[in-house]
Amino acid sequence: MVAAPELISPKSPRVSAARRLAKRNFRGKERLFLAEGPQAVREAAGHGQTLVELFATVDAAGRYADIVGEARAAGARVHLAEEDVIADISTTVTPQGLVGVCRFLDVPFEDILAARPRLVAVLSNVRDPGNAGTVLRCADAAGADAVILTDASVDLYNPKSVRASVGSHFHLPVAVGVPVEQAVQGLKGAGVRILAADGAGADDLDAELDKGTMGTPTAWIFGNEAWGLPEETRALADAVVRVPIHGRAESLNLATAAAVCLYASARAQRASSTR
């Protein structure tokens, strides 16, 4: 039987501390962020000692008893709360009853290079948190080894970014705040070919696949959805590649283009490794 709620007021110091993490400056100061919903909390609970606290309604604690158990087993403090308390902490319109407080996950860029990655997504000037989280999810699904957010990109721990990744924040290494020039230089030094994804690219993704050039370690640079990649960033790449539009669509959005590019590389690399 689930116990009665213990946090009866949104004015509780623990609730106030969690609520402040919706703001970037508090996240940076505390090096903590919020993960909402059963999937994100489950992944956080299974990620070492990342999950610090879990706030849950009585109903959610009963429905997701396994997740609550995993959280307790991971050493997280579990607080049962009224629905208005969860709503006060949550950044969503319709909270799912579980909100976790997690430690930052990002790793040094040098650690990514030392692991000799074969597939990397570099987000350059990506400002929309939903796009950043969705590209992270796509990279995870395609089997990428790492994601890099440049210094001009959105905060990795923005609540919308965390929600959009649907747990992928906890699956692969992510470096943040890396200048794009440093990212490219480091990756090239690690033997990684740099491809810039741009709708006006001189090279066609289908042609690259036909040429057999995509089986090597590759990093894709993805830019801002509204204005793409600036010329100085495109100039850093070994090739600027466009996703071909075979129908009448004007273009693809950032996350869709990223999925197409990353999966193309992943397939080419698998084929190369079996030869």
Side-chain angles (χ1 to χ4, degrees):
M1 180 177 178
V2 177
E6 60 180 281
L7 295 177
I8 58 174
S9 171
K11 296 181 180 180
S12 161
R14 298 309 316 150
V15 172
S16 297
R19 183 172 58 243
R20 287 197 297 267
L21 298 178
K23 298 181 178 179
R24 183 171 187 170
N25 59 329
F26 284 103
R27 291 195 297 271
K29 180 180 178 181
E30 302 296 332
R31 290 194 59 80
L32 297 171
F33 70 100
L34 297 176
E36 301 186 40
Q39 179 63 24
V41 171
R42 185 190 303 276
E43 299 298 337
H47 193 270
Q49 296 182 322
T50 296
L51 185 64
V52 178
E53 289 183 286
L54 174 61
F55 297 85
T57 63
V58 173
D59 179 64
R63 189 182 317 120
Y64 304 111
D66 58 331
I67 298 177
V68 173
E70 290 175 24
R72 287 196 170 104
R77 298 188 297 273
V78 177
H79 309 287
L80 298 179
E82 299 283 2
E83 289 187 4
D84 63 336
V85 173
I86 298 298
D88 194 56
I89 300 171
S90 174
T91 61
T92 64
V93 176
T94 54
Q96 298 181 64
L98 296 176
V99 182
V101 175
C102 307
R103 294 184 175 91
F104 274 15
L105 298 162
D106 53 279
V107 303
F109 177 50
E110 293 73 19
D111 289 3
I112 290 175
L113 297 179
R116 310 298 293 183
R118 288 188 53 79
L119 184 57
V120 180
V122 180
L123 277 62
S124 178
N125 283 287
V126 174
R127 305 292 179 83
D128 182 89
N131 277 338
T134 305
V135 174
L136 179 58
R137 183 182 182 186
C138 291
D140 182 19
D145 299 300
V147 172
I148 298 166
L149 272 70
T150 69
D151 53 352
S153 287
V154 71
D155 177 21
L156 172 67
Y157 304 107
N158 181 290
K160 187 176 179 180
S161 175
V162 177
R163 289 196 302 274
S165 83
V166 197
S168 288
H169 268 64
F170 305 97
H171 292 170
L172 72 174
V174 182
V176 300
V178 184
V180 66
E181 296 85 356
Q182 179 185 341
V184 169
Q185 182 180 12
L187 288 164
K188 284 186 175 181
V192 178
R193 184 174 182 237
I194 309 298
L195 299 180
D198 193 284
D203 298 299
D204 182 288
L205 180 61
D206 287 347
E208 288 287 316
L209 287 167
D210 291 342
K211 288 188 294 186
T213 58
M214 294 183 60
T216 60
T218 301
W220 282 95
I221 305 177
F222 302 109
N224 185 282
E225 182 163 317
W227 60 80
L229 292 168
E231 177 56 38
E232 56 269 26
T233 301
R234 294 197 298 269
L236 297 171
D238 295 303
V240 181
V241 182
R242 69 183 184 277
V243 176
I245 303 295
H246 299 300
R248 294 186 294 174
E250 183 272 332
S251 64
L252 296 175
N253 65 27
L254 173 61
T256 303
V260 170
C261 294
L262 291 166
Y263 267 92
S265 285
R267 181 175 182 179
Q269 289 178 357
R270 288 198 305 274
S272 177
S273 67
T274 59
R275 291 188 187 122

